[in-house]
Amino acid sequence: MSVEKLKFKTEVKQLLDLMIHSLYSHKEVFLRELISNASDAVDRARYESLTNSDILENDGNWKITVSKDKNAGTLTISDNGIGMTKDEIIKALGTIAHSGTKEFLAALQSKEVKDNPELIGQFGVGFYSSFMVADKITVISRPAGQKDKMGVKWESTGDGTYTVEDIYKETKGTDVILHLMEGEKKYLDEWEIRSVVKKYSDFIEHPVVMEVEKEQESTLKKGEKVKVKEEETLNSMKAIWLKDKSEVTKEEYNEFYKHISHDFTGPAKVIHYKAEGTSEFSALLYIPSKAPFNIFYKDYEIGPVLYVKRVQIMDHCEDLIPPYLRFVRGVVDSSDLPLNVSREILQNNRQVEIIKTNITKKVLETLADMNKDEYDGYLTFYKEFGRVLKEGIHFDFTRRETIADLLLFPSTKAEDGKFRTFQDYIEGMKEDQQEIYYATGTALDEVLKSPYLEAFRDKDIEVLIFLDEIDDFIFTGFEYKGKKLKSVSKGDINLDKTEGDEKKNARKKYGKLLDLVKDTLKDDVKDVRLSGRLTDSACCLVADEGDMDPQMEKLLKAMGQDVPQRKRILEINPAHPLFAAMNTIFEKDKRSPVLDEYTKLLYDQALLLEGSKPKDPAAFAKAVAKLMVENAEKSNANV
Ligand code: ADP
């Protein structure tokens, strides 16, 4: 029987270094993590045994055993759950198996995590936390239902390598043996173990048992006491979600949250209720306060834990929650579903659909209440998850308006650092205003200075600022309370209902000049027209109504997609003195080279204002310098 020596993957090694050398203040959580793993292993075995009784091996007495050996200095956590094969143990305890490994490594290096090792909890580092108290860990495991096969022994001192070897193991499940460090022997005390289990793992639904010594009346000699060993269950095993709200403390809610979410930061909000009527179920849901690093990744697992009559069926049931609420964690326990429910059944199940509708409504209501009553908390939530929530506008047609009411935006009318809602906007609208105006961009201060907002400022019309790249896409076609959304940089903007004489005159006066400009720029823009949105700037570029937003274009390009370059429309401000001046030149000499030069400069300016580069930066700089010289010579001549 050979012993294989293997190396931990880099990320595990770095994690171990951080764990062992950090001054993590609550080392005792290692016990919670091991009990949690054992409980998961028992859940899986119990679930599989519903369809395969071999798994039971005649022992359906599910439990987790904590045993201590003071002489050897070891603490052992055993379970009679699903167990692991050699390959499984190498994968489970030799790597960190998630696709965000890059982010994980970055987090390990970051100062924030080094100062607060708790933060690492969100990556699911459970097992390794035991190296905070043990200088050697031995794991012995054998898969349930494979009595005739060998088990595996895994061992490591946390120094970068571990060994595995085949070993005989009589019983199914896993023993994790911690060889406690010199300074950590207190975890061999009955009292200490009892209190740590009570504190962190009371709700675990399988018994956590320990052999304890008790004094008892002797049956031989009356009046004399003898010591006997007895198995004691340390946890109350009450399914916390089935309890009445009034019976659960905040700490219990928080501990349970950490158990199911692997997030060491407490939740922002707890939603706990029982539904009766068309569907009977209990739900204990949490809105986290911090976004998990992988919420935008494919490997992020959506959905609460599903129980049927207290039996865990699935870790993450994605049919119970819409993806735009995927940040919600928790437990749903249904009385109506069959115990042997499969994934296929869940997908088309009416009961599941009812629960999903109910949960969605409840979560959205809770968020609305937070927005109303606990604004600061809501703001924290929104900054973490607003982008996820917003997806609902696009994907959940029936609840778009409800979701829209939860969204916050900077705006030309918001005070510094404050936000506005669609409702605020509607309330502040001009009497005859039919549309909700928005501007897109990446930096708020830049957008606020953009020329696209000039006429709106002038007319005191509010413009919401959308800073997420996906916003333009999400809000396409969206109407809030019958008011369409309209981008200030797309299509025609006409804030004056009737075209005033001024514009008519300008059209007459500059018509020919406009034709010339159009002809000069025919390869660059698709049209040149008089603007209804400019008051100070001379010109700007706008997109056609149905065209893609420049933010979206950037995003798609960054994702490596081929985005065809679309020509924009150049809008000209007829009130700007530049046009009167250009027109005078035009009337004197239609072919003046100055007109050509100015037209190109105008276009370059418009590109700059849009956040793009001039077409030919060198030529642009040269032309500006030339103008400066001419201007300086003129001023000097006037002196
Ligand atoms: P997590 O529990 O967050 O996945 P851990 O590092 O605690 O992370 O555990 C890694 C993996 O090891 C688990 O996902 C599980 O597959 C396996 N594992 C740990 N403990 C046990 C156990 N007692 N029985 C079976 N598998 C286990």
Side-chain angles (χ1 to χ4, degrees):
M1 219 169 288
S2 68
V3 181
E4 280 177 73
K5 190 168 180 176
L6 299 164
K7 276 196 177 122
F8 283 117
K9 291 269 184 267
T10 333
E11 70 275 9
V12 180
K13 190 163 172 348
Q14 292 190 352
L15 172 66
L16 284 174
D17 288 346
L18 183 78
M19 278 285 168
I20 295 167
H21 301 297
S22 74
L23 298 168
Y24 188 53
S25 47
H26 306 283
K27 289 187 179 175
E28 79 249 25
V29 297
F30 79 90
L31 193 53
R32 164 182 77 190
E33 298 300 314
L34 294 183
I35 290 176
S36 192
N37 283 349
S39 165
D40 288 349
V42 168
D43 281 338
R44 281 186 51 204
R46 183 178 57 176
Y47 179 62
E48 282 187 24
S49 72
L50 295 174
T51 47
N52 174 10
S53 58
D54 289 351
I55 294 283
L56 284 176
E57 296 183 17
N58 294 323
D59 172 20
N61 187 16
W62 307 112
K63 67 176 172 185
I64 298 152
T65 309
V66 181
S67 36
K68 53 202 179 332
D69 182 335
K70 286 203 169 152
N71 293 330
T74 57
L75 180 70
T76 302
I77 290 81
S78 309
D79 65 69
N80 54 359
I82 198 72
M84 285 176 275
T85 62
K86 196 201 264 181
D87 286 348
E88 281 166 351
I89 213 166
I90 290 174
K91 189 154 186 292
L93 305 183
T95 61
I96 291 179
H98 50 62
S99 66
T101 308
K102 214 175 84 201
E103 285 71 20
F104 178 63
L105 285 177
L108 282 181
Q109 303 298 339
S110 78
K111 192 173 165 343
E112 197 192 355
V113 165
K114 283 196 171 136
D115 292 345
N116 301 293
E118 297 87 308
L119 290 177
I120 213 70
Q122 60 169 309
F123 293 95
V125 294
F127 172 79
Y128 305 103
S129 59
S130 298
F131 280 107
M132 294 192 296
V133 296
D135 42 28
K136 185 164 88 178
I137 301 179
T138 312
V139 183
I140 296 170
S141 192
R142 199 235 327 133
Q146 300 187 18
K147 227 175 153 93
D148 51 339
K149 296 217 176 104
M150 288 299 272
V152 58
K153 176 176 165 187
W154 178 103
E155 197 163 71
S156 174
T157 53
D159 60 351
T161 61
Y162 59 94
T163 57
V164 280
E165 64 185 292
D166 293 331
I167 197 172
Y168 176 75
K169 186 174 186 292
E170 165 78 26
T171 52
K172 66 179 187 285
T174 306
D175 302 335
V176 179
I177 305 157
L178 307 181
H179 307 261
L180 294 174
M181 289 172 185
E182 216 30 71
E184 308 293 346
K185 295 275 164 51
K186 61 173 179 290
Y187 297 112
L188 297 174
D189 291 344
E190 244 172 62
W191 183 87
E192 184 73 24
I193 297 171
R194 200 181 270 131
S195 78
V196 175
V197 171
K198 196 82 197 150
K199 182 165 172 198
Y200 294 108
S201 312
D202 193 53
F203 51 80
I204 294 283
E205 52 165 325
H206 309 289
V208 178
V209 302
M210 178 169 66
E211 200 168 72
V212 293
E213 265 190 1
K214 280 194 176 153
E215 284 199 336
Q216 210 174 289
E217 285 282 326
S218 167
T219 43
L220 300 174
K221 266 193 186 165
K222 246 192 164 286
E224 235 176 66
K225 303 229 175 207
V226 287
K227 286 191 172 167
V228 290
K229 290 195 169 170
E230 196 174 89
E231 206 171 65
E232 185 186 310
T233 301
L234 307 179
N235 56 333
S236 75
M237 291 184 283
K238 273 204 187 148
I240 180 171
W241 59 92
L242 296 179
K243 286 190 185 177
D244 194 73
K245 253 181 174 168
S246 59
E247 291 171 31
V248 190
T249 64
K250 191 171 171 227
E251 285 67 35
E252 286 173 315
Y253 277 134
N254 285 0
E255 279 314 320
F256 185 66
Y257 169 72
K258 290 176 189 174
H259 167 66
I260 54 167
S261 69
H262 297 287
D263 174 7
F264 278 53
T265 329
K269 195 84 193 162
V270 181
I271 307 171
H272 184 186
Y273 71 106
K274 262 191 190 58
E276 273 151 13
T278 38
S279 178
E280 266 182 38
F281 67 91
S282 297
L284 171 55
L285 306 170
Y286 295 91
I287 296 173
S289 48
K290 199 130 184 60
F293 73 103
N294 60 346
I295 190 137
F296 287 104
Y297 284 84
K298 272 218 172 74
D299 73 331
Y300 177 81
E301 292 180 294
I302 301 180
V305 188
L306 174 65
Y307 282 80
V308 172
K309 302 185 193 80
R310 287 203 62 180
V311 176
Q312 182 173 339
I313 304 296
M314 206 177 283
D315 272 354
H316 295 279
C317 182
E318 60 180 347
D319 303 296
L320 285 177
I321 204 127
Y324 65 91
L325 296 181
R326 62 182 174 276
F327 47 83
V328 173
R329 290 298 187 205
V331 166
V332 170
D333 194 337
S334 160
S335 317
D336 304 319
L337 290 167
L339 266 176
N340 57 353
V341 62
S342 67
R343 270 191 198 272
E344 291 68 39
I345 292 179
L346 282 172
Q347 272 163 16
N348 302 304
N349 186 285
R350 208 179 79 84
Q351 283 301 333
V352 172
E353 203 46 52
I354 294 172
I355 300 176
K356 180 179 176 179
T357 308
N358 188 303
I359 290 179
T360 305
K361 189 162 166 272
K362 193 81 182 182
V363 172
L364 291 176
E365 278 169 10
T366 305
L367 291 174
D369 288 344
M370 279 172 79
N371 189 7
K372 208 165 77 210
D373 306 327
E374 308 162 33
Y375 189 67
D376 286 346
Y378 186 73
L379 212 57
T380 315
F381 155 80
Y382 192 79
K383 284 180 182 159
E384 292 289 318
F385 298 110
R387 254 186 91 162
V388 179
L389 181 66
K390 227 183 265 179
E391 293 170 14
I393 298 277
H394 188 77
F395 292 107
D396 192 346
F397 211 80
T398 53
R399 297 188 190 83
R400 317 180 89 171
E401 254 182 40
T402 314
I403 299 164
D405 278 325
L406 295 171
L407 305 183
L408 305 176
F409 305 99
S411 136
T412 51
K413 293 228 170 138
E415 284 167 47
D416 238 9
K418 296 254 162 65
F419 298 90
R420 302 267 291 170
T421 60
F422 281 125
Q423 184 58 32
D424 294 336
Y425 188 98
I426 293 267
E427 283 166 16
M429 258 165 120
K430 301 278 163 212
E431 227 162 76
D432 55 349
Q433 191 183 334
Q434 291 310 321
E435 284 157 327
I436 295 174
Y437 294 106
Y438 68 89
T440 60
T442 40
L444 179 61
D445 50 345
E446 256 170 50
V447 183
L448 286 174
K449 277 187 262 174
S450 116
Y452 302 106
L453 301 179
E454 286 173 3
F456 295 90
R457 272 224 181 82
D458 212 45
K459 298 247 168 349
D460 193 35
I461 294 173
E462 175 168 17
V463 178
L464 298 177
I465 317 284
F466 290 179
L467 296 174
D468 278 337
E469 292 120 334
I470 51 162
D471 284 343
D472 193 67
F473 167 74
I474 286 211
F475 292 108
T476 298
F478 175 63
E479 282 184 18
Y480 182 79
K481 302 204 169 153
K483 305 281 182 198
K484 280 205 178 96
L485 265 70
K486 184 161 169 53
S487 162
V488 297
S489 59
K490 274 194 205 172
D492 210 1
I493 295 274
N494 221 341
L495 299 180
D496 295 315
K497 278 286 141 281
T498 50
E499 190 170 88
D501 284 347
E502 233 171 274
K503 203 162 172 187
K504 264 190 216 148
N505 291 340
R507 209 182 284 280
K508 240 191 243 158
K509 193 167 154 200
Y510 297 135
K512 293 227 167 70
L513 175 64
L514 275 184
D515 287 343
L516 179 72
V517 173
K518 212 181 286 188
D519 193 54
T520 312
L521 297 176
K522 65 177 179 297
D523 293 336
D524 301 303
V525 298
K526 66 173 161 192
D527 196 12
V528 179
R529 68 184 179 210
L530 297 180
S531 183
R533 68 190 100 209
L534 297 176
T535 57
D536 300 334
S537 305
C539 59
C540 68
L541 282 168
V542 302
D544 234 349
E545 199 73 68
D547 280 357
M548 196 181 283
D549 182 77
Q551 298 311 318
M552 195 65 201
E553 209 174 285
K554 267 189 223 157
L555 178 72
L556 290 178
K557 274 190 189 154
M559 284 162 57
Q561 294 211 19
D562 227 2
V563 190
Q565 195 64 46
R566 272 180 218 272
K567 284 189 189 171
R568 305 207 198 287
I569 298 163
L570 181 71
E571 282 199 354
I572 275 170
N573 174 5
H576 199 282
L578 180 61
F579 292 97
M582 275 175 82
N583 208 41
T584 315
I585 302 174
F586 180 73
E587 278 169 357
K588 268 195 219 145
D589 174 8
K590 291 189 176 42
R591 280 178 235 286
S592 164
V594 177
L595 289 173
D596 189 69
E597 194 181 322
Y598 278 23
T599 302
K600 286 180 182 153
L601 268 175
L602 263 180
Y603 176 57
D604 280 341
Q605 275 183 48
L607 282 171
L608 278 172
L609 284 171
E610 183 199 57
S612 311
K613 266 209 259 174
K615 215 175 135 196
D616 179 351
F620 174 75
K622 223 165 155 180
V624 173
K626 184 171 158 246
L627 284 179
M628 287 164 81
V629 171
E630 282 170 13
N631 199 36
E633 281 172 359
K634 246 184 241 152
S635 340
N636 292 342
N638 289 341
V639 176

